[in-house]
Amino acid sequence: MAGYQQLAEAIVSGIGGKENVIDVLHCATRLRFTLKDCAQADAGRLKKLEGIIMVVEAGGQFQVVIGNHVHDVYLTLLQILGLQEESLGGANTGKVKNNLLARFIDLVSAIFTPFLGIMAASGILKGFLALALVCGWTTRSSGTYLVWFAASDALFFFFPLVLGYTAGKKFGGSPFLTMAAGGALIHPLIRTASENASQATSTFFSLPLTFMDYSTTVIPIIFAAWICCWLERRLNSIMPQAIKNFVTPLFCLMVTVPLTFLLIGPLAIWGSQQLANGFQIIYDYAPLLAGLFLGSVWQGCVIFGLHWGLVPLMINNLSVLGYDTMAPLLLAAVMGQIGAVLGVLLRTRDAKQKMLAGSAALAGLFGITEPAIYGITLPLRRPFFFGCLAGGIGGAVTGYFHSRIWSFGLVSIFSVAQIIPPHGLDSTVIGAITGSIVALLLACLLTFFAGGIKRRMHEDETASASRQEMEKEPVADVVAAHTILAPLSGSLLPLERVPDPTFASGLLGMGTAILPATGTVVAPFSGEVATLVDTHHAIGLRSDEGVELLIHVGIDTVKLNGEHFTALVKPGDRVMSGDPLLTFNLQAISAAGFDLTTPIIICNSEAWASVCVATSAPTLTSGTPLLIVNH
């Protein structure tokens, strides 16, 4: 709990304080903030915190990716903010102006996130029951089956109740009032009337009523909740304080429920049917192309939280058609990322990376791919794209077999059971399994053989290995492995401690950093000056052996526009090891408020077997061994 407390406090500070928070909720792995001013949030600072995988700004939300323990951090966060879960999701979220897509994503995530876990569990239990029937372990008439089926079906049957509550919270009204409106849609009298053909002529004050079975529906109650909350706010603004607590709900129920049966419900059901049938027409026309597209882009949508936009469509398909053809395509996308992570696990020699890859693969099997994406595949780049490519190919295979899923849940290994149709195993199940296996194996093989994993070992381990080799091997062997000398005198820092995420993440290449004690940069090897920026704060060199090195003096020092820097060479100049390259006024730059931490990066790290730090000394002088680059 103490760790969660410290992390939650750091998050609140990093997002601009609790005064900057309008709303916060969480999904399976990330906190989703709606902030008054996103400019006050420091994403770079948050990314450096231990316990935070990634920070993403998308869908009108400031998203902090935590991992599987996000709910514990969320509860601690609420205590710090002085909020209760029931107080969140109010109408004040509308104060933040976002584009239509951002508002839609925010709306969907707020309404569906609170019960995502139980919805996934219910879907998995439905899948297990289908598997039990196929294998002959139980029958539909057995008490065991009836009890578990009731447990798995309850949430979906009473969807209007649950959605009424969460939609009411999101729209800023009384969630119990909108839940009552949802309950009216599935009341036994209404269900009986919908089953009785003679009730088709029923009227409400001479207006014709159309009764339908609203159990498992999604869209009607969301629109009804919006109308109810809008009416509630208007009535509360004009009703006397003494009576509004019961008069406002009275009028809301008297107006919203009949309006839902007369207009909102039939129109929403019609729209739901058109949406489901329209998607199915497109899918039937080109299922292979649909699988290729969704399997390829799904994990990209996950990165920005945009995958929530497809959740209502999947649930709507299940409600209208009784099955969904989208989720099986996404199973291949999930397996593609898992395969890429397994490729890293099998290939890497980094103990820390192996442990991270193992836990990320396990989480991915349960449908949580953020640890795999943010912790492994995306930082390494190639594995992420291999996972997406393999997911697209696997999705195409799945689409070719017209695979379907029969209950909702997180797309995971359990989805295999949910794909089994009520009549038993058929080719659609085989197609989904085949597509998933193709995606997993293809991503694993591509990552293992072409992911560049061997060249991207963690700096701590490679530095240790390098030091051990240096103790055992003669100096001549070390030099033959391309020794990069220190271009500066000062304190040695690991790359991950550079206060700039672009350098610290290794995206620009492997290397290290020096906090300079003097203001002269010298050539770390013999070669030529490849580049020199106009502001003279950064210089690129190319050694005779082909090592491409970047020396970047300070963080954000480009803003000095060359002031306090003097270049002693120009692009194309031939330099020898130890030759002065540029000078800078260390005291003046520090006085101007700039951090002088100097990253020293091997820009073409992928071209070498490994990049190792050659010394463990806390300080060093220019001209002493700094990095070892191996073939």
Side-chain angles (χ1 to χ4, degrees):
M1 182 66 182
Y4 295 147
Q5 181 75 23
Q6 185 177 7
L7 178 58
E9 290 175 351
I11 291 173
V12 171
S13 175
I15 60 175
K18 61 182 181 180
E19 299 81 8
N20 195 35
V21 179
I22 291 178
D23 192 21
V24 58
L25 49 91
H26 76 87
C27 56
T29 58
R30 64 185 79 189
L31 297 167
R32 296 169 174 268
F33 292 93
T34 302
L35 304 179
K36 295 177 182 177
D37 182 10
C38 285
Q40 295 184 29
D42 189 345
R45 173 184 166 191
L46 288 172
K47 289 177 184 177
K48 299 174 188 175
L49 293 177
E50 184 177 354
I52 292 180
I53 300 175
M54 181 57 70
V55 176
V56 180
E57 294 181 59
Q61 297 174 329
F62 190 87
Q63 304 172 16
V64 181
V65 183
I66 300 292
N68 294 335
H69 56 283
V70 63
H71 183 67
D72 298 313
V73 179
Y74 172 74
L75 294 179
T76 307
L77 192 70
L78 293 187
Q79 294 177 359
I80 296 174
L81 296 175
L83 299 172
Q84 299 293 327
E85 288 188 83
E86 288 75 13
S87 67
L88 298 173
N92 59 351
T93 57
K95 293 180 181 178
V96 179
K97 296 185 181 298
N98 293 306
N99 60 45
L100 187 60
L101 175 61
R103 284 186 285 179
F104 175 71
I105 297 298
D106 175 64
L107 173 68
V108 171
S109 60
I111 291 176
F112 289 95
T113 291
F115 56 86
L116 180 63
I118 182 62
M119 186 161 57
S122 298
I124 292 170
L125 183 53
K126 275 180 173 284
F128 284 160
L129 288 175
L131 181 62
L133 287 175
V134 170
C135 296
W137 298 334
T138 187
T139 63
R140 295 183 186 274
S141 59
S142 73
T144 302
Y145 178 86
L146 291 175
V147 170
W148 273 349
F149 181 82
S152 67
D153 196 54
L155 176 70
F156 301 104
F157 184 87
F158 294 105
F159 239 171
L161 269 175
V162 179
L163 288 170
Y165 181 82
T166 56
K169 287 178 63 177
K170 176 58 183 175
F171 293 134
S174 167
F176 293 103
L177 179 56
T178 50
M179 188 169 66
L185 295 179
I186 54 174
H187 193 278
L189 288 177
I190 301 300
R191 286 180 52 80
T192 301
S194 68
E195 295 169 359
N196 191 339
S198 65
Q199 295 293 320
T201 58
S202 296
T203 62
F204 181 82
F205 287 102
S206 301
L207 296 173
L209 282 170
T210 303
F211 291 115
M212 302 179 182
D213 184 1
Y214 288 100
S215 61
T216 74
T217 59
V218 176
I219 298 178
I221 183 56
I222 293 178
F223 279 100
W226 182 80
I227 292 293
C228 185
C229 293
W230 178 86
L231 183 60
E232 182 185 2
R233 289 194 296 272
R234 296 301 181 274
L235 290 173
N236 278 336
S237 65
I238 61 175
M239 287 289 177
Q241 185 70 31
I243 63 172
K244 72 177 184 180
N245 286 341
F246 62 89
V247 173
T248 293
L250 173 64
F251 276 101
C252 286
L253 285 176
M254 291 177 64
V255 173
T256 304
V257 174
L259 185 61
T260 301
F261 287 122
L262 290 167
L263 183 64
I264 298 174
L267 284 178
I269 291 292
W270 179 85
S272 301
Q273 293 171 340
Q274 301 310 307
L275 189 64
N277 293 332
F279 170 78
Q280 199 59 35
I281 289 172
I282 297 173
Y283 175 83
D284 290 338
Y285 179 75
L288 194 145
L289 186 60
L292 180 64
F293 176 75
L294 285 178
S296 300
V297 306
W298 176 251
Q299 296 301 338
C301 293
V302 169
I303 292 175
F304 299 103
L306 300 179
H307 58 302
W308 277 103
L310 297 179
V311 170
L313 185 57
M314 289 186 277
I315 297 177
N316 184 67
N317 288 341
L318 286 166
S319 175
V320 175
L321 304 174
Y323 59 84
D324 173 49
T325 52
M326 185 180 296
L329 307 179
L330 306 180
L331 179 58
V334 171
M335 291 302 164
Q337 289 302 313
I338 295 174
V341 170
L342 290 177
V344 174
L345 177 65
L346 296 173
R347 183 68 172 180
T348 185
R349 294 175 292 172
D350 184 341
K352 182 178 178 181
Q353 199 171 58
K354 276 184 179 292
M355 181 179 66
L356 183 59
S359 62
L362 182 61
L365 287 174
F366 289 96
I368 310 298
T369 56
E370 281 90 342
I373 295 173
Y374 296 125
I376 299 291
T377 62
L378 194 59
L380 294 176
R381 289 171 287 185
R382 288 188 196 176
F384 176 76
F385 290 111
F386 287 156
C388 291
L389 174 64
I393 295 173
V397 173
T398 303
Y400 176 80
F401 284 92
H402 293 266
S403 299
R404 302 172 177 180
I405 200 166
W406 300 88
S407 60
F408 186 82
L410 288 177
V411 181
S412 67
I413 190 67
F414 297 115
S415 299
V416 174
Q418 296 172 253
I419 291 170
I420 299 174
H423 56 269
L425 294 172
D426 59 16
S427 62
T428 64
V429 181
I430 304 301
I433 295 175
T434 302
S436 300
I437 293 175
V438 166
L440 188 145
L441 292 179
L442 180 59
C444 182
L445 291 173
L446 286 173
T447 301
F448 184 86
F449 289 108
I453 309 303
K454 183 180 178 182
R455 306 181 183 103
R456 293 182 178 276
M457 299 171 64
H458 275 278
E459 186 173 331
D460 289 342
E461 182 186 297
T462 55
S464 175
S466 174
R467 287 193 298 271
Q468 293 175 4
E469 290 175 4
M470 289 179 67
E471 292 173 359
K472 299 177 182 178
E473 297 177 2
V475 175
D477 290 338
V478 173
V479 173
H482 306 323
T483 300
I484 311 299
L485 304 179
L488 288 160
S489 298
S491 302
L492 184 65
L493 297 173
L495 192 62
E496 60 266 22
R497 288 184 57 188
V498 174
D500 184 316
T502 304
F503 288 110
S505 64
L507 290 176
L508 297 180
M510 306 305 293
T512 187
I514 295 175
L515 183 61
T518 61
T520 301
V521 177
V522 300
F525 48 60
S526 297
E528 68 173 354
V529 179
T531 58
L532 177 66
V533 298
D534 294 339
T535 52
H536 298 165
H537 71 286
I539 187 170
L541 305 172
R542 184 182 298 107
S543 74
D544 294 336
E545 296 81 13
V547 177
E548 296 178 3
L549 186 79
L550 171 66
I551 304 171
H552 192 288
V553 180
I555 305 301
D556 291 333
T557 45
V558 65
K559 297 177 181 178
L560 290 171
N561 294 319
E563 188 177 1
H564 310 309
F565 288 94
T566 302
L568 306 177
V569 293
K570 63 182 183 296
D573 282 357
R574 174 76 184 174
V575 294
M576 301 298 292
S577 178
D579 288 350
L581 302 176
L582 58 89
T583 60
F584 55 95
N585 190 325
L586 188 148
Q587 291 76 20
I589 296 173
S590 296
F594 290 89
D595 189 325
L596 276 164
T597 299
T598 300
I600 300 163
I601 304 295
I602 306 297
C603 298
N604 60 340
S605 298
E606 69 279 0
W608 306 95
S610 66
V611 176
C612 313
V613 179
T615 178
S616 60
T619 60
L620 69 169
T621 58
S622 61
T624 58
L626 176 66
L627 296 172
I628 305 281
V629 179
N630 291 301
H631 280 295

